[in-house]
Amino acid sequence: MDDRLKHLKENMDNTVFKNLEFRDINKNEVRKVIYNSKKNKRMKNLIPRILSLGFYLIFIIGISYFSLENLGFIQNEKPLFIQSNKNESNSNNEENNDTVYTPPKQVENYDDMSKDAILNKLLNSLDNFESASGKFETYNKYYDNSTSKFNLEYIISLKKVMGGYEKIINIPDESIPGAETMTHEYFYNNETRWDLDNDRMTYVTNDYEITPKREPVKSEDVFSIPINKLYDSKEKFRERPIGNSGMSLFNYEMIAKYLRFNNLWSIEKQNEELLGHNTIVLYGDIDKSIVDSSQPDENSFRFWVDKDTGILVKYEIYNGKGEIISYLHPESLSVNVPIDLNQFLPNLDNYNERKIEGLTFKDPNEKDIEVIEHADAIVEEVEVVLNILRSKVPFLYEFSNPKLQIFSASLEKYKEFNQAYLTYTYKKDGKEIGYIYVRTYHKDAVVSSLRDFNKEKGNEIDSFTLNGVNWMMFEIKNEPNAYLIGTSGEYMYEVFNQGEISFEETKSLLESFKKSASKQ
């Protein structure tokens, strides 16, 4: 009997006496020991004694816990609730709520880490924590001095309880007249996603399914993805929930971009405390081949990575002068926080449902259109696709005017017909003031009605012939821009502009729109 009571005490030491807390889960451990003891035939005649002992211990520990709590030795921890629009739960019932799940406490890592070890953590952060909550701000400054900024508050659960919540406040660019702050909230579980527009008091629902678990990835496999394919290769990264919290928790693409050149970055500090987490600090230079044309001044970066989980807690991107042109700055981060299922269900009082119709094609044959190659922003990658177009689309025309700079290129295919899409930025007096969009295809091909070219044309303005193409110029309804449709034999050319580009300027630019030199 003494041995059995020792086992009972060990179980209680691991549960009842742990942290001096005695809750339902602790009582269940006592009951479990009592129940297991019933299985032993030799203990049948001792059941009444054990029951008495069990309830006596429960009574004594309960009284002790109550006394300690009232004396201030015990602090009651309550689950974190981010939602401000949900009714508060009765505090007396929070600990007994079977919808609450508390993951194991995070343990900080202070061991020195190698480059390979931290890359593995970053690219597989999903495996290293069960839940997280936090707040952060992101900022980007672009080539034309415009900015984007938003604040994000989130809570997410990955195991046992599946779901997430985000509140996003978009902060307008001060240089844009009339721009307003916008607030959205997003809720999801393993069945449904709710998108709430807090300014218009509307919401949209969609079916949502948690992505199946994938095998851990290796850095060499991820780094083999071409830069222009990073955001088209989700299947090559680990799975992750939807939402902008992934910018910190699962920023696989950023890692694949900035850390792919091992000789250009180093471990600046092995241990630096940040918001109560022990982080490893990485610093590196940015190779010109991966520079995004929307931020052409990016020169170097610094990452703060939680060593235990691989969460990208903070990052900064710098220009050549050391000025920050992009950042994620955290306000708070908690890992393995208590989770209540109710946090992932919105309060829709006073909200009206907004229906979004499914995408419909004007021509059902559009479903047969396939995107073969695409690149944008990174000049070197765009040039690669452009050379493919020159070899695959012998009727391709391009602009050569120095005021136009290629921004994106795409090769699409409908059955046996190849078709090309090009986008140019237009600069005047050194300032970017607009875009020129070009589409080239065979007259018998089907083109997408979901692309930017699906414009409602107004009156015909002009007609003329330039460089072997017969053009008709139209107004665009409700827009101060021009739309041109050209024909040359069996081929069609569509061009339209956006921004501060007049009809006369557009026609003048067409003088440099000539057939490309074919590259085999």
Side-chain angles (χ1 to χ4, degrees):
M1 178 175 175
D2 289 341
D3 290 338
R4 295 183 181 88
L5 288 177
K6 285 180 182 178
H7 288 300
L8 176 61
K9 181 181 183 300
E10 289 171 4
N11 277 282
M12 294 176 70
D13 283 340
N14 292 329
T15 57
V16 180
F17 289 116
K18 189 176 182 180
N19 297 326
L20 292 178
E21 296 185 2
F22 193 78
R23 303 176 180 173
D24 281 351
I25 188 172
N26 308 121
K27 298 175 185 177
N28 288 335
E29 290 295 330
V30 176
R31 295 185 184 115
K32 186 190 302 182
V33 174
I34 297 170
Y35 174 77
N36 289 335
S37 68
K38 289 182 180 180
K39 292 182 177 180
N40 194 320
K41 294 180 181 179
R42 293 178 297 172
M43 294 293 293
K44 285 184 179 179
N45 62 332
L46 296 176
I47 289 174
R49 300 179 189 179
I50 296 176
L51 285 171
S52 297
L53 176 61
F55 286 112
Y56 175 75
L57 286 170
I58 291 171
F59 175 77
I60 293 299
I61 296 166
I63 291 296
S64 301
Y65 177 83
F66 178 79
S67 300
L68 288 169
E69 183 178 34
N70 279 277
L71 287 171
F73 289 103
I74 298 176
Q75 298 293 324
N76 241 335
E77 293 185 1
K78 298 179 181 179
L80 173 65
F81 289 89
I82 288 184
Q83 298 166 233
S84 60
N85 64 338
K86 294 189 67 67
N87 295 328
E88 293 186 4
S89 301
N90 188 321
S91 60
N92 293 328
N93 295 327
E94 279 182 351
E95 297 297 346
N96 296 324
N97 188 344
D98 58 8
T99 67
V100 175
Y101 169 65
T102 302
K105 185 178 179 180
Q106 181 196 16
V107 179
E108 295 296 332
N109 179 4
Y110 292 92
D111 296 334
D112 283 358
M113 298 184 73
S114 65
K115 284 188 173 183
D116 287 341
I118 197 61
L119 285 172
N120 181 63
K121 286 274 189 178
L122 281 163
L123 293 170
N124 297 283
S125 58
L126 193 80
D127 294 333
N128 304 322
F129 64 96
E130 295 193 25
S131 66
S133 68
K135 297 179 182 179
F136 61 75
E137 178 177 275
T138 67
Y139 168 84
N140 284 283
K141 183 177 182 180
Y142 302 104
Y143 61 94
D144 59 357
N145 289 322
S146 65
T147 63
S148 66
K149 182 190 293 187
F150 69 79
N151 293 328
L152 178 71
E153 180 179 0
Y154 68 89
I155 186 165
I156 186 173
S157 180
L158 303 172
K159 300 177 182 178
K160 294 192 177 181
V161 178
M162 309 294 288
Y165 164 78
E166 291 187 356
K167 182 178 181 180
I168 300 176
I169 301 176
N170 288 295
I171 301 172
D173 186 341
E174 295 180 355
S175 65
I176 300 177
E180 298 179 352
T181 300
M182 295 183 295
T183 304
H184 288 259
E185 290 183 288
Y186 302 93
F187 300 79
Y188 67 89
N189 52 31
N190 60 351
E191 294 180 352
T192 307
R193 168 177 167 148
W194 296 265
D195 298 353
L196 279 63
D197 184 334
N198 291 357
D199 302 302
R200 296 177 178 84
M201 296 302 290
T202 61
Y203 73 94
V204 175
T205 60
N206 292 285
D207 293 338
Y208 181 69
E209 185 176 353
I210 301 295
T211 305
K213 184 176 176 62
R214 300 173 187 167
E215 293 297 318
V217 298
K218 297 180 179 179
S219 59
E220 55 265 31
D221 295 330
V222 169
F223 293 157
S224 67
I225 303 171
I227 288 294
N228 66 308
K229 298 290 186 181
L230 281 183
Y231 294 93
D232 299 323
S233 305
K234 293 181 180 180
E235 73 284 352
K236 295 185 179 181
F237 294 105
R238 291 300 303 276
E239 74 280 9
R240 59 183 158 198
I242 56 175
N244 288 281
S245 59
M247 295 179 68
S248 174
L249 304 178
F250 325 104
N251 203 334
Y252 307 140
E253 288 85 1
M254 176 168 272
I255 305 310
K257 176 181 176 180
Y258 291 106
L259 299 183
R260 63 174 46 213
F261 298 110
N262 189 66
N263 62 316
L264 293 182
W265 64 276
S266 61
I267 297 173
E268 189 175 63
K269 292 183 181 179
Q270 276 287 348
N271 299 288
E272 181 171 310
E273 185 178 346
L274 179 59
L275 296 176
H277 298 274
N278 188 47
T279 68
I280 186 170
V281 184
L282 314 178
Y283 178 82
D285 296 322
I286 300 174
D287 191 90
K288 291 183 179 180
S289 66
I290 66 171
V291 171
D292 191 322
S293 62
S294 66
Q295 292 179 309
D297 296 331
E298 57 180 4
N299 180 266
S300 58
F301 66 89
R302 183 173 279 110
F303 293 164
W304 288 259
V305 184
D306 180 35
K307 296 177 76 171
D308 181 54
T309 63
I311 291 173
L312 186 57
V313 184
K314 176 181 178 180
Y315 69 74
E316 293 178 344
I317 309 296
Y318 312 100
N319 62 18
K321 299 178 181 178
E323 299 167 335
I324 297 175
I325 60 173
S326 178
Y327 67 69
L328 184 151
H329 285 172
E331 180 180 332
S332 64
L333 172 65
S334 298
V335 176
N336 283 1
V337 296
I339 294 295
D340 189 328
L341 279 172
N342 293 324
Q343 294 173 110
F344 307 140
L345 297 172
N347 180 351
L348 299 176
D349 293 348
N350 302 318
Y351 281 80
N352 296 313
E353 185 172 10
R354 179 167 55 90
K355 296 289 186 181
I356 294 181
E357 301 296 332
L359 297 177
T360 57
F361 297 122
K362 287 185 175 181
D363 186 333
N365 291 317
E366 290 182 42
K367 68 181 184 302
D368 296 323
I369 298 173
E370 180 183 3
V371 178
I372 306 299
E373 298 286 349
H374 173 77
D376 60 29
I378 299 174
V379 175
E380 288 78 4
E381 297 297 333
V382 174
E383 191 64 31
V384 170
V385 176
L386 195 54
N387 283 329
I388 294 173
L389 287 172
R390 289 165 181 158
S391 64
K392 300 289 187 181
V393 184
F395 51 91
L396 182 71
Y397 272 60
E398 297 177 62
F399 282 102
S400 59
N401 190 300
K403 294 180 180 179
L404 294 173
Q405 181 178 353
I406 189 71
F407 178 80
S408 71
S410 298
L411 170 63
E412 295 188 3
K413 189 170 185 176
Y414 170 74
K415 295 185 177 180
E416 72 274 20
F417 301 112
N418 288 332
Q419 49 198 34
Y421 290 83
L422 302 175
T423 303
Y424 295 84
T425 58
Y426 178 51
K427 290 187 177 182
K428 188 175 182 180
D429 299 326
K431 180 181 179 182
E432 185 173 304
I433 63 172
Y435 293 87
I436 298 287
Y437 299 86
V438 181
R439 173 162 69 182
T440 306
Y441 56 95
H442 191 279
K443 65 180 180 61
D444 295 330
V446 172
V447 291
S448 174
S449 61
L450 302 178
R451 298 290 294 257
D452 294 324
F453 293 82
N454 190 26
K455 300 283 185 180
E456 186 176 357
K457 290 174 282 295
N459 297 325
E460 182 177 341
I461 304 169
D462 198 359
S463 62
F464 52 90
T465 299
L466 276 174
N467 302 322
V469 180
N470 300 313
W471 293 102
M472 291 186 295
M473 180 183 285
F474 299 88
E475 294 177 337
I476 301 177
K477 283 194 174 181
N478 303 317
E479 295 183 30
N481 302 110
Y483 198 110
L484 294 108
I485 298 178
T487 59
S488 178
E490 298 181 321
Y491 304 109
M492 303 289 297
Y493 301 88
E494 296 182 44
V495 176
F496 78 91
N497 61 45
Q498 282 186 341
E500 302 173 19
I501 310 176
S502 68
F503 296 145
E504 291 76 15
E505 285 176 302
T506 303
K507 186 174 180 179
S508 176
L509 291 170
L510 278 175
E511 294 177 4
S512 72
F513 190 68
K514 299 179 181 180
K515 193 172 183 178
S516 304
S518 177
K519 292 193 175 184
Q520 299 298 327

